[in-house]
Amino acid sequence: MSALFGNYGKRRAQIVKGQGTVVEDAKGKKYLDFTSGIAVVSLGHAHPAIVKAVQQQSEKLWHISNLFEIPGQETVAQKLVADTHFTYAFFCNSGAEANEAAIKLARKHTGKNHIITFEKSFHGRTFGAMSATGQGKVHNGFGPLVDKFTILPFNNVESLEATVDDTVAAIMLEMIQGEGGVNSVTPEFAASLAKACAEKGILLIVDEVQTGIGRTGTRFAYEQTVLKPHIVTLAKGLGSGFPIGGMLGTAELYDTFGPGTHGTTFGGNPLAMSVAETVLDHVFAPDFLHNVQDLSAYFIKQLKANLPTTYTVQGQGLLLGIGCGDTEVASYIKEAEEKGLLLVGAGPNVIRLLPPLTVSKAEIEEAIAILKSILR
Ligand SMILES: *Cc1c(COP(=O)(O)O)cnc(C)c1O
């Protein structure tokens, strides 16, 4: 009998090691990992530069706490805000924690507690982040939720215009809803968000926990829109497998988070920072991001050329989805795994494709061949 809570449902293959895009299970069977541990292992498994960073820093200092200055935090913060309109960074340990920080910052800065979020969004499992999440299945049984989130239909300009008023502290959303079905923000909706925030003095929080750090082919996904968020939150890809979260904010927010207002014991520890620095040195290099854009264009072209037109291809960069209409995708995901391709769903009807950003065209071709054999 297992000594674990059953909150994760039935587990799948037992993966014991990995190299790049390829992982191996306990029986020695190899798989192409097109989940990247849910958009996390962006440089691929066991990337030599990350292994080296962990080895070198772990021999020096793992943890000292935020009682002390941690030079790595300054280095990573500078790399994250360079050539952006952001000025400051805060580090924590997960996506939910980054969103908690954002919600707290927005409340304290504006003195208001009304935050607009959207249906099918996902912001995490802690009380604030869960309350912000627009999916009933995430809330069920855990009420009462935190006040006061108004959850509106995604990409719906009319409902947004009808709801924004002087009570609203912030609007929070993903540029591509990752868990909720790989739904991208439309240009019309982005324009309407920009207008609403400017006219009503509302803070814009973009949850880039899944889309950030190169996943969509640019450093941050908001860069492909007209939006200039006041706050972005980060996690998944920032540590390429090492647990880390982060929040970036504009200069005007600085005074709100003064000494003692917010914090975490583990956040931004030297080991995490050495990994994040290595990740950013790789991913933020222009050639690397151009290559992600190239791979994405190739992947999308191959998907469209090889799958029946009843399937839709969604998303940007290497956060792609195959929309399967009303068909449930669980059995496709199982079949792919049997054939050596690891996939993850996005809601019940969309297959999510999240290879490492270092995936090769040959690996994309192998994945396409497996997908083609399943999605006839
Ligand atoms: C995964 C995810 C989160 C939650 O991150 P955790 O590290 O699991 O807390 C929040 N927002 C988005 C968009 C995510 O994809």
Side-chain angles (χ1 to χ4, degrees):
M1 206 191 92
S2 171
L4 294 168
F5 274 112
N7 56 314
Y8 292 116
K10 200 170 173 296
R11 304 292 189 94
R12 293 154 57 186
Q14 189 186 358
I15 306 298
V16 293
K17 62 180 175 182
Q19 187 70 58
T21 308
V22 178
V23 294
E24 201 176 307
D25 72 13
K27 296 179 192 126
K29 178 175 168 179
K30 292 197 162 116
Y31 306 81
L32 282 174
D33 180 8
F34 273 46
T35 71
S36 300
I38 321 186
V40 169
V41 189
S42 45
L43 291 183
H45 296 278
H47 189 287
I50 306 257
V51 172
K52 191 168 154 216
V54 171
Q55 279 171 347
Q56 290 186 341
Q57 186 60 43
S58 66
E59 285 168 10
K60 281 192 247 164
L61 184 71
W62 293 29
H63 180 82
I64 189 70
S65 92
N66 287 298
L67 292 172
F68 302 93
E69 200 170 308
I70 298 172
Q73 287 186 13
E74 193 65 47
T75 310
V76 176
Q78 297 283 358
K79 286 181 192 290
L80 285 168
V81 303
D83 306 317
T84 73
H85 64 286
F86 295 112
T87 316
Y88 301 110
F90 161 79
F91 295 107
C92 50
N93 311 287
S94 69
E97 261 185 80
N99 286 332
E100 292 294 327
I103 293 164
K104 287 177 71 177
L105 181 58
R107 278 192 176 195
K108 190 160 191 283
H109 187 75
T110 60
K112 302 172 188 174
N113 66 0
H114 184 191
I115 296 178
I116 292 176
T117 64
F118 298 94
E119 289 170 6
K120 294 191 179 168
S121 61
F122 185 80
H123 299 297
R125 304 279 189 166
T126 53
F127 262 97
M130 170 180 73
S131 303
T133 293
Q135 300 189 51
K137 67 173 191 199
V138 174
H139 301 159
N140 282 344
F142 295 118
L145 300 178
V146 174
D147 270 346
K148 174 187 178 180
F149 292 93
T150 298
I151 298 172
L152 298 180
F154 189 57
N155 278 334
N156 185 315
V157 172
E158 293 82 61
S159 73
L160 181 72
E161 284 176 353
T163 311
V164 285
D165 61 21
D166 295 338
T167 69
V168 179
I171 300 173
M172 177 168 174
L173 79 165
E174 299 151 88
M175 295 291 96
I176 305 175
Q177 294 183 324
E179 306 296 310
V182 193
N183 314 311
S184 297
V185 110
T186 61
E188 301 74 46
F189 195 59
S192 156
L193 286 163
K195 184 162 164 273
C197 290
E199 282 176 1
K200 304 274 182 213
I202 295 169
L203 294 178
L204 183 67
I205 304 171
V206 174
D207 177 346
E208 297 245 16
V209 167
Q210 187 153 163
T211 54
I213 318 297
R215 179 51 62 184
T216 68
T218 48
R219 295 173 301 176
F220 309 100
Y222 79 79
E223 293 178 289
Q224 297 176 49
T225 72
V226 296
L227 296 170
K228 286 240 184 303
H230 302 87
I231 300 172
V232 301
T233 55
L234 302 167
K236 296 193 163 94
L238 181 56
S240 196
F242 199 95
I244 172 171
M247 176 183 74
L248 308 182
T250 53
E252 71 199 289
L253 300 168
Y254 182 79
D255 290 333
T256 305
F257 256 14
T261 50
H262 188 63
T264 139
T265 303
F266 293 126
N269 89 11
L271 196 53
M273 291 299 109
S274 71
V275 173
E277 183 182 345
T278 309
V279 169
L280 295 179
D281 284 345
H282 283 78
V283 175
F284 281 11
D287 286 352
F288 187 98
L289 290 170
H290 288 150
N291 191 49
V292 173
Q293 290 163 19
D294 242 31
L295 291 165
S296 172
Y298 184 71
F299 201 172
I300 291 170
K301 195 171 136 216
Q302 292 294 319
L303 285 167
K304 288 186 172 162
N306 284 284
L307 300 185
T309 52
T310 46
Y311 297 100
T312 57
V313 179
Q314 298 161 209
Q316 288 146 251
L318 293 176
L319 199 187
L320 298 175
I322 303 173
C324 301
D326 294 331
T327 309
E328 303 238 337
V329 298
S331 65
Y332 295 149
I333 290 172
K334 189 161 170 276
E335 200 180 331
E337 188 163 310
E338 281 157 14
K339 292 183 168 171
L341 175 64
L342 302 184
L343 300 169
V344 58
N349 310 120
V350 177
I351 296 171
R352 206 167 4 157
L353 303 163
L354 295 164
L357 305 182
T358 51
V359 68
S360 69
K361 284 190 178 166
E363 288 164 340
I364 289 175
E365 282 160 16
E366 265 184 75
I368 292 276
I370 295 172
L371 287 165
K372 192 176 174 180
S373 74
I374 296 167
L375 305 173
R376 273 158 306 188

